[in-house]
Amino acid sequence: MSVQGIIFTNLHDKNIPELTLKRTMASVPYACRYRLIDFALSNMVNSGITSVSVITHYNYQSLMDHIGAGKDWDLARRSGGIKILPPYMTAYANTQNALYNSRMEALKSVNYSLSRFTSDYVVLSDCDVICNVDLNDMINDHIRNGADITMAVKRVLLTNETAKRNVVVEADDDGRITDVNAYPTNVSGYHDINLNILVINREYLQSIVLDAIAHGYTSFNRDVLSRNASRRNYRIYKYNGYFANISSMEDYYKHSMELIGASDNRDQLFGIKNRPIYTKVRNSAPTRYDSASNVKNSLVADGCIIEGTVENSIIFRGVKVSKGATVKNSILFQDTVIGANVFLNCVITDKNVVIRDGRILSGHESLPFFIEKGKLV
C-alpha cells in the first residue's frame, strides 16, 4: 500500500483576510512557533506519507521560506519528499487566467502532476482545520470498508450562524454518506461536519478530475460528493480529538486562547506519543525575563525579552515587552516591540509591529484589535 498527500494552501484565505493579505492560510502563525500547514504536514509524516504535494495559489513566498526543502519534516528526499505546485500548471482551470476558488479548480489546475501519481491512495487536506489525527487508522478504515472516498468528520453542536461556515455530512448507521450539505443556512443542533481531510483511491481521483475538466465542474462538494453519494461508496471517519476550525478572525483568536490554561487542548495537539507536530527549527536564544517582569498563564516562545507584565497571552519569537508595559489576552507575532508603559488588551499584532511608549489599545474577544505587519503605532 502506498499513499501520497496533497495539501491545499489558499482555499480559505478569505476567512481571515487580515492575516492572509501577505501570506497564505497555510503560513498563518499559530501557537507561538507553528504555522497552520505544520498540522497537515505533521499528520501525513507521522502516518508514513513521504510524498506530499503542496498546491499554492498566490502570496506563497512566506510559505516557501517556511517549508524550504522540507528537512524539518524529514521530507528532504531524493525520491518523493515535498513538492510545491504553483498555479496555472494547465489551462483547464484558467481559461480566463483567473485564480482558482475551489478545491476542484485547484485539482484541475495541477492535473498534469496528478496524472503522474502512482500511489494506491491519496490523502487530501486543507489548512483551516487544526488537529492531530491518526491518518493510518483513517486509511485502514478506508481500505477495510472498500470505500471510494473516506471523509474525516467531527460531531459538533451547530447554530444557524456556525452552520453557514461548515459542510454538514449526513451518514447512515453503517457510516455510509447519504448527503453532503455545504454551508447550509437553516441547520442547527448536533451534526457531523467535514474536517476537510479526505482519503481517496488514486485512480478514482484521477477520473474525477478528468470528468470535471470535460464537464466544467467546479465544486468538489456539489459536483462529486452530493451528486454521487447515492451510488458510490463514500464513508465517514469519526474523529474524536481536539480540533479547531479557523473560519474567521474571531475563531483564530478564540482557538488560540484555548491553548492557554489548564485545559487538555494543548496536550491533545502537542502531547500525543509518536505523533509530534513538526515545524521549522530556529536556533534562538532562550527568552530573558527581567527581575521586574510578571508572566502569568501565557505561552512564550524563545528569543523574547520580557521586562513588563504578560497575562493570558501568546508571545511569538523575538518579541520585546518593555518595562511598565502590560499585555493581556493578546497575541503578539514574531519580532513585535512593545514600548514602555503600553497597555494592550485583546490585541493581535502581525510581525514586526512597533507600539511606541504610552499607547493604550484594546479590543474585545469577539473583535480583537488587529495591527497589520510592519506598522508603527
Side-chain angles (χ1 to χ4, degrees):
M1 178 190 72
S2 56
V3 185
Q4 291 183 256
I6 295 178
I7 297 177
F8 302 92
T9 63
N10 292 87
L11 291 183
H12 306 279
D13 285 1
K14 295 179 181 178
N15 291 351
I16 45 174
E18 301 93 338
L19 294 177
T20 56
L21 180 65
K22 297 179 180 179
R23 60 168 70 91
T24 67
M25 184 76 163
S27 53
V28 168
Y30 191 77
C32 280
R33 58 197 298 264
Y34 299 90
R35 304 294 182 105
L36 294 187
I37 195 173
D38 291 338
F39 298 93
L41 272 177
S42 298
N43 286 336
M44 292 183 180
V45 170
N46 290 336
S47 301
I49 300 174
T50 58
S51 180
V52 180
S53 297
V54 178
I55 303 180
T56 59
H57 196 300
Y58 62 97
N59 277 349
Y60 52 90
Q61 295 87 349
S62 174
L63 178 66
M64 294 179 69
D65 176 68
H66 179 69
I67 293 176
K71 183 179 70 172
D72 295 298
W73 298 267
D74 193 26
L75 289 173
R77 296 167 177 258
R78 198 171 280 187
S79 177
I82 193 164
K83 296 180 176 66
I84 305 293
L85 304 183
Y88 311 135
M89 291 190 68
T90 71
Y92 300 120
N94 299 292
T95 55
Q96 305 299 321
N97 200 35
L99 293 170
Y100 54 76
N101 294 303
S102 69
R103 185 175 293 101
M104 181 59 77
E105 289 178 344
L107 290 170
K108 287 161 63 177
S109 74
V110 296
N111 176 57
Y112 176 74
S113 293
L114 292 180
S115 69
R116 296 170 64 87
F117 281 16
T118 58
S119 61
D120 300 311
Y121 306 97
V122 180
V123 174
L124 310 178
S125 179
D126 293 1
C127 290
D128 65 322
V129 171
I130 299 165
C131 64
N132 190 333
V133 60
D134 185 356
L135 290 178
N136 270 331
D137 188 55
M138 184 176 176
I139 293 166
N140 290 333
D141 187 74
H142 175 87
I143 296 171
R144 185 167 52 250
N145 290 298
D148 298 306
I149 296 176
T150 298
M151 178 189 300
V153 300
K154 172 83 173 181
R155 193 157 190 85
V156 298
L157 178 62
L158 296 174
T159 64
N160 287 333
E161 188 60 33
T162 57
K164 295 176 184 177
R165 303 196 294 267
N166 288 282
V167 176
V168 178
V169 182
E170 302 293 337
D172 60 22
D173 294 338
D174 191 41
R176 184 165 180 166
I177 295 175
T178 57
D179 190 27
V180 176
N181 193 357
Y183 316 115
T185 58
N186 58 348
V187 170
S188 60
Y190 282 96
H191 292 274
D192 290 328
I193 62 170
N194 181 11
L195 299 189
N196 292 326
I197 301 174
L198 304 174
V199 178
I200 184 169
N201 299 339
R202 186 262 304 170
E203 292 182 350
Y204 184 49
L205 174 62
Q206 291 171 337
S207 69
I208 284 174
V209 175
L210 290 176
D211 189 53
I213 292 169
H215 294 89
Y217 295 152
T218 59
S219 171
F220 198 91
N221 288 319
R222 182 186 67 246
D223 297 322
V224 177
L225 297 177
S226 296
R227 187 188 297 269
N228 299 308
S230 61
R231 60 178 183 269
R232 303 294 304 214
N233 188 11
Y234 298 162
R235 306 189 68 86
I236 62 171
Y237 173 83
K238 292 189 176 182
Y239 171 72
N240 297 315
Y242 173 81
F243 92 106
N245 182 18
I246 308 298
S247 58
S248 65
M249 181 63 92
E250 179 185 352
D251 281 343
Y252 177 82
Y253 178 83
K254 179 181 73 173
H255 293 311
S256 294
M257 293 295 112
E258 286 175 353
L259 301 179
I260 299 175
S263 71
D264 64 349
N265 297 331
R266 195 166 62 250
D267 289 338
Q268 289 190 48
L269 272 183
F270 304 108
I272 299 178
K273 187 177 180 180
N274 299 324
R275 285 177 17 215
I277 302 299
Y278 302 99
T279 190
K280 182 178 180 179
V281 175
R282 297 180 186 273
N283 296 320
S284 302
T287 290
R288 178 167 66 84
Y289 296 91
D290 188 78
S291 59
S293 65
N294 182 15
V295 179
K296 297 179 181 178
N297 195 38
S298 298
L299 299 179
V300 182
D302 50 354
C304 299
I305 300 174
I306 309 297
E307 299 174 341
T309 297
V310 177
E311 294 183 14
N312 302 318
S313 295
I314 297 176
I315 310 298
F316 283 75
R317 295 182 177 103
V319 170
K320 179 179 180 181
V321 179
S322 301
K323 292 182 178 180
T326 299
V327 178
K328 292 186 176 181
N329 310 309
S330 296
I331 303 172
L332 308 184
F333 283 10
Q334 185 174 318
D335 296 326
T336 294
V337 177
I338 306 299
N341 302 313
V342 167
F343 179 85
L344 302 181
N345 179 53
C346 294
V347 173
I348 300 176
T349 66
D350 210 322
K351 294 173 66 175
N352 301 310
V353 166
V354 176
I355 300 179
R356 291 183 289 187
D357 298 352
R359 302 297 191 262
I360 299 175
L361 303 173
S362 181
H364 188 267
E365 292 178 356
S366 62
L367 188 64
F369 188 91
F370 175 73
I371 304 173
E372 66 181 64
K373 185 176 181 179
K375 282 290 184 181
L376 174 65
V377 179

